[in-house]
């Protein structure tokens, strides 16, 4: 259970928190960075009620909750984080610090990975449901290797093309990634989740009978899809923090889409491939030919 607190702003109280924004994957990144940086600086971290509601309903997070009335009474020092760890974050000053930004990088917290994994332990009911679905899909087969596949599309299709000068994962990438696991493991079971399940069903070859379209695509209630991915043995991710965090929690082999923007993309000013993906993960370069043909 997440603890609550009656912390008040006194002359000697030091309070760190994070501004909650965006969806599940981003909030997990915000929480993990807050947890790690507050610990690094020797201060107590608190979560705001909104973050506790969304993450606490899924995970057994331990950071205490700062009542909204207390948070509203504090004059915060707003500190914006980059998407990766930077040396100056080891010495952040201020009595009341509120972190902004949506960092999603192992460089903040990988040195305390086991603690972060404990923070993102699923509630028992969610874990039980995910394991039940996996068992039902497996049926009588033995020695099954579950591979979670997250296909992020939706708004990202236009965002990547029109703003970031990049692409999302295509059918060829997914085929290559799946073929890797088919080559390496005898009985792979691919569990596909996405916010565009129709696209997946039309573009992922499921003729071998090892692909299962299990996602419900409900972005407003992502716990079920995320738990299914996180209870697999390995991960195929495309783009986005949702897939990243599933892979990070799983800890098995991860295949990810890399080099998915043109070299002059403005996105590369705020994003680093080396900070976004663990060194041992396997990157498959995106096909940028459609962007190059358009001269974008």
């Amino acid at each position: 259970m997440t603890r609550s607190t009656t912390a008040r702003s006194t002359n000697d109280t030091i309070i760190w928190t994070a501004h909650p924004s965006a969806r599940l994957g981003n909030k997990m990144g915000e929480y993990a960075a807050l947890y790690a940086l507050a610990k690094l600086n020797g201060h107590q971290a608190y979560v705001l009620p909104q973050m506790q509601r969304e993450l606490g309903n899924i995970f057994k997070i331990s950071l205490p909750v700062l009542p909204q009335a207390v948070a509203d009474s504090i004059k915060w020092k707003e500190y914006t984080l980059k998407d990766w760890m930077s040396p100056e974050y080891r010495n952040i000053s201020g009595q009341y610090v509120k972190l902004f930004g949506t960092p999603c990088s192992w460089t903040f917290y990988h040195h305390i990975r086991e603690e972060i994994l404990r923070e993102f332990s699923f509630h028992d009911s969610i874990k039980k449901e995910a394991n039940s679905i996996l068992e039902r899909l497996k049926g009588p087969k033995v020695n099954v290797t579950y591979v979670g596949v997250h296909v992020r599309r939706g708004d990202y299709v236009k965002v990547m093309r029109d703003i970031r000068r990049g692409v999302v994962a295509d059918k060829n990438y997914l085929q290559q990634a799946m073929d890797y696991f088919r080559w390496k493991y005898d009985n792979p079971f691919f569990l596909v989740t996405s916010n565009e399940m129709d696209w997946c069903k039309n573009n992922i070859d499921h003729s071998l009978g090892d692909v299962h379209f299990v996602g419900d695509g409900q972005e407003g209630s992502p716990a079920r899809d995320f738990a299914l991915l996180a209870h697999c043995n390995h991960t195929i991710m495309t783009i986005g923090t949702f897939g990243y965090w599933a892979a990070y929690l799983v800890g098995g082999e991860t295949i990810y889409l890399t080099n998915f923007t043109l070299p002059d993309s403005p996105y590369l000013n705020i994003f680093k491939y080396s900070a976004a993906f663990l060194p041992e993960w396997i990157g498959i370069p995106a096909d940028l030919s459609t962007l190059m043909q358009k001269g974008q």
Side-chain angles (χ1 to χ4, degrees):
M1 294 293 291
T2 302
R3 296 171 290 154
S4 62
T5 180
T6 55
R8 291 179 173 82
S9 55
T10 62
N11 290 335
D12 57 353
T13 303
I14 296 178
I15 299 177
W16 279 42
T17 192
H19 175 72
S21 64
R23 297 170 180 162
L24 177 61
N26 283 332
K27 283 191 177 68
M28 292 177 70
E30 292 156 10
Y31 183 97
L34 168 65
Y35 184 102
L37 292 181
K39 182 172 185 174
L40 185 63
N41 284 267
H43 302 311
Q44 176 63 57
Y46 299 84
V47 291
L48 296 177
Q50 180 188 343
M51 183 173 284
Q52 193 281 325
R53 282 193 300 271
E54 296 193 36
L55 295 184
N57 284 336
I58 304 173
F59 308 110
K60 300 177 181 179
I61 56 175
S62 70
L63 291 183
V65 183
L66 186 68
Q68 194 62 52
V70 175
D72 292 341
S73 70
I74 292 175
K75 185 176 181 181
W76 294 99
K77 174 183 178 180
E78 299 182 355
Y79 197 100
T80 300
L81 299 173
K82 301 173 184 176
D83 275 5
W84 55 85
M85 181 64 183
S86 189
E88 63 265 26
Y89 300 159
R90 298 179 178 275
N91 296 287
I92 299 176
S93 62
Q95 186 174 8
Y96 307 121
V97 175
K98 181 184 286 188
L99 302 178
F100 281 74
T102 54
C104 185
S105 170
W106 57 272
T107 57
F108 284 96
Y109 42 75
H110 199 53
H111 61 291
I112 53 169
R113 173 180 169 81
E114 292 306 315
E115 291 184 47
I116 297 302
L117 294 181
R118 283 197 298 271
E119 290 298 309
F120 293 138
S121 297
F122 289 93
H123 288 301
D124 293 345
S125 60
I126 296 176
K127 184 186 301 184
K128 182 178 179 180
E129 180 187 14
N131 285 326
S132 175
I133 293 173
L134 295 182
E135 280 296 313
R136 176 171 53 81
L137 289 172
K138 179 174 72 69
K141 290 189 175 183
V142 296
N143 298 323
V144 166
T145 299
Y146 294 106
V147 181
V149 184
H150 180 247
V151 182
R152 178 70 160 89
R153 290 182 59 80
D155 59 330
Y156 262 33
V157 176
K158 290 185 177 181
V159 168
M160 291 304 299
R161 182 190 64 212
D162 300 338
I163 300 176
R164 297 181 179 176
R165 296 169 61 79
V167 297
V168 297
D170 59 17
K171 60 186 299 182
N172 291 328
Y173 162 77
L174 293 167
Q175 185 71 47
Q176 289 181 65
M178 289 180 170
D179 284 347
Y180 169 83
F181 287 107
R182 290 185 176 113
W183 165 77
K184 191 164 185 179
Y185 300 97
D186 290 336
N187 292 309
F189 259 49
F190 299 98
L191 278 66
V192 180
T193 70
S194 176
N195 58 348
E196 277 194 28
M197 289 300 293
D198 287 343
W199 184 93
C200 294
K201 292 174 182 178
N202 291 326
N203 289 275
I204 294 177
D205 181 4
H206 52 280
S207 60
L208 296 177
D210 57 3
V211 177
H212 304 269
F213 299 100
V214 298
D216 59 19
Q218 298 300 311
E219 294 183 351
S221 53
R224 177 184 176 277
D225 281 10
F226 187 81
L228 285 173
L229 293 173
H231 282 81
C232 290
N233 303 113
H234 307 289
T235 308
I236 295 172
M237 61 172 294
T238 53
I239 290 177
T241 56
F242 192 91
Y244 164 86
W245 272 110
Y248 193 82
L249 297 192
V250 168
E253 289 191 86
T254 297
I255 293 183
Y256 66 95
L257 185 70
T258 190
N259 298 341
F260 49 77
T261 63
L262 292 174
D264 61 350
S265 167
Y267 187 53
L268 298 180
N269 294 322
I270 60 171
F271 177 86
K272 291 182 179 180
Y273 290 101
S274 61
F277 307 112
L278 285 168
E280 63 267 29
W281 290 1
I282 302 169
I284 296 179
D287 180 2
L288 299 176
S289 59
T290 55
L291 294 180
M292 294 176 178
Q293 289 168 5
K294 294 178 181 178
Q296 295 181 346

